Amino acid sequence: MSNPWAAWLAANPSSRFNMATKVGWDAFVNSGARRPLDVLSRADMARLDEEELADYNEARAVWHANPSAVKTSQLASAFAVMDQVMASNRRDGDRLRGSVVIDAAPALGKTTIATRYGRDFHRACYRRYGPHTEDGHQRLPVAFIPLSAGITLKGLNQKILSFYGHPGADRASTSRLGALAVDCVASCQTQLIIIDDLHFIDFRHRNGMEVSNHLKGLANEMPVTFVYVGVRLREKRFFDEGLIGEDAAFAQTSRRATRVEVAPFTLSSDAGARAWTSLLAALETHLRLADAAPGMLTGQARQLHRRTQGHIGSLTTLLERACYLAITTGVEAITRDILAQVVLDNAAELASPA
């Protein structure tokens, strides 16, 4: 008899696509939901042999590490603002488009918001216009460009070209790289460019100012909408372009960009408490534990909020690790004792009251 859990793992592995390349982004865009994973009772697990049980637990680990994106109030609010900004994406090429800046503290789902919006937009463009342009080029409605620490003007252009797989990314001169990037965007009819980890740019440093000015130049040359994603960009003076005093009022970025703030969940209001409980209820349905029961998470809403301070990134990590402990200890449920054993990220641990 074949091992169904090994077969499930083969058909539903942890995806390792690199979204910073067109091949990886295309794989992300076209990836479907995993095949549902059955929940076995303790009696069912007792009938498995050693290898089958190990494979079943590995399948559960993959499942718990990859919960479906929940349409939280933060995601819905961000999408609504982005839809408004994208209205200008329909402008002719001689008219400037606005940009979106998703700006928040870490672990609040900023990149998830940007990539999910980009995926939906990419799929819609494929449905309407097909996978190829009129000139026979591959259509790439969206480009995803993550930045790295100390990024320079040349490095930014190289990352854009690397996304498109252009051979000139490592060979062209600095002056030529920008022109090649513009050509790639035009040839592939890209309409949305996501620039992730923008906080790596120091807008007060010469290199940072060059990158900032280059981004404005690209916005003038490319008929696209930019979505910038970063941590505390307002405090880093992204909107003011590093200017201070009266000069900051003349910053073009502040007039062109629309800020999307992502806030943590709060229990300080009835609406906030309901949103948090609704999120936990949605995540409960994803868990594959033998003794899981309705209310397993919602009944511990305050404890979970205390541990994570309402940061969705910390919450998903907490649940992933709690499920691992529940499985390996044989508890098969997320209890207060299991939660107490979970070691979280440093920021969550420091902020969590003793």
Side-chain angles (χ1 to χ4, degrees):
M1 178 179 174
S2 62
N3 184 336
W5 315 114
W8 189 94
L9 284 166
N12 300 271
S14 294
S15 299
R16 288 175 169 80
F17 40 70
N18 176 11
M19 293 196 297
T21 67
K22 67 177 182 180
V23 174
W25 175 261
D26 189 67
F28 166 70
V29 167
N30 293 297
S31 60
R34 281 180 169 80
R35 196 178 75 199
L37 180 65
D38 294 335
V39 184
L40 299 186
S41 67
R42 287 182 178 274
D44 292 331
M45 286 191 287
R47 285 190 286 269
L48 300 179
D49 64 33
E50 184 176 347
E51 288 187 354
E52 289 174 331
L53 180 60
D55 290 341
Y56 174 60
N57 288 339
E58 177 64 18
R60 289 198 287 174
V62 171
W63 181 266
H64 291 143
N66 298 281
S68 300
V70 179
K71 191 170 183 180
T72 62
S73 56
Q74 289 90 335
L75 185 143
S77 176
F79 273 28
V81 174
M82 295 168 78
D83 281 340
Q84 290 186 46
V85 176
M86 285 297 289
S88 66
N89 193 264
R90 298 168 176 84
R91 291 175 179 172
D92 291 335
D94 61 329
R95 298 172 182 271
L96 287 175
R97 290 155 171 75
S99 60
V100 174
V101 181
I102 304 177
D103 182 19
L108 290 174
K110 300 180 297 300
T111 299
T112 297
I113 289 171
T115 55
R116 269 51 180 185
Y117 190 92
R119 181 170 65 182
D120 291 349
F121 181 80
H122 195 118
R123 288 174 172 174
C125 287
Y126 262 36
R127 178 179 59 80
R128 293 187 181 115
Y129 309 116
H132 297 95
T133 69
E134 297 85 349
D135 296 327
H137 298 292
Q138 180 183 4
R139 187 186 304 280
L140 290 169
V142 179
F144 178 75
I145 315 295
L147 303 186
S148 54
I151 190 77
T152 62
L153 186 154
K154 180 179 181 179
L156 172 62
N157 285 330
Q158 287 177 321
K159 282 186 173 292
I160 294 174
L161 291 178
S162 294
F163 175 85
Y164 289 93
H166 197 290
D170 297 320
R171 298 200 301 265
S173 64
T174 300
S175 59
R176 179 68 175 147
L177 287 170
L180 292 176
V182 172
D183 181 64
C184 282
V185 168
S187 297
C188 297
Q189 295 189 7
T190 302
Q191 299 182 54
L192 182 69
I193 297 179
I194 301 170
I195 306 288
D196 197 15
D197 293 327
L198 195 69
H199 49 268
F200 281 135
I201 299 176
D202 184 353
F203 300 103
R204 296 167 297 182
H205 189 273
R206 180 175 62 84
N207 285 342
M209 289 296 296
E210 287 181 350
V211 172
S212 177
N213 288 332
H214 186 58
L215 286 172
K216 286 186 293 183
L218 292 179
N220 292 335
E221 295 184 65
M222 296 176 174
V224 304
T225 297
F226 281 89
V227 175
Y228 302 111
V229 183
V231 175
R232 303 194 185 283
L233 296 176
R234 176 182 284 171
E235 289 86 339
K236 292 179 180 293
R237 309 194 69 84
F238 168 69
F239 296 94
D240 300 335
E241 300 167 12
L243 302 174
I244 60 175
E246 295 181 356
D247 291 338
F250 297 99
Q252 290 181 338
T253 300
S254 193
R255 287 292 180 184
R256 294 180 180 178
T258 300
R259 183 171 182 265
V260 176
E261 185 176 9
V262 184
F265 287 86
T266 177
L267 300 183
S268 61
S269 67
D270 290 342
R274 284 195 300 271
W276 179 248
T277 303
S278 177
L279 170 64
L280 296 179
L283 292 173
E284 272 185 9
T285 65
H286 182 79
L287 305 185
R288 298 296 187 261
L289 300 173
D291 292 346
M296 183 175 64
L297 298 184
T298 56
Q300 302 184 83
R302 290 195 173 277
Q303 167 74 350
L304 291 167
H305 191 275
R306 182 185 68 79
R307 290 295 308 276
T308 65
Q309 302 83 54
H311 288 236
I312 192 168
S314 296
L315 175 64
T316 54
T317 297
L318 173 64
L319 295 181
E320 177 185 342
R321 296 177 184 179
C323 286
Y324 164 79
L325 290 173
I327 292 170
T328 56
T329 60
V331 173
E332 289 292 336
I334 296 181
T335 64
R336 292 184 68 87
D337 288 342
I338 287 291
L339 289 177
Q341 295 178 50
V342 175
V343 180
L344 264 181
D345 58 87
N346 186 63
E349 292 289 0
L350 288 176
S352 180

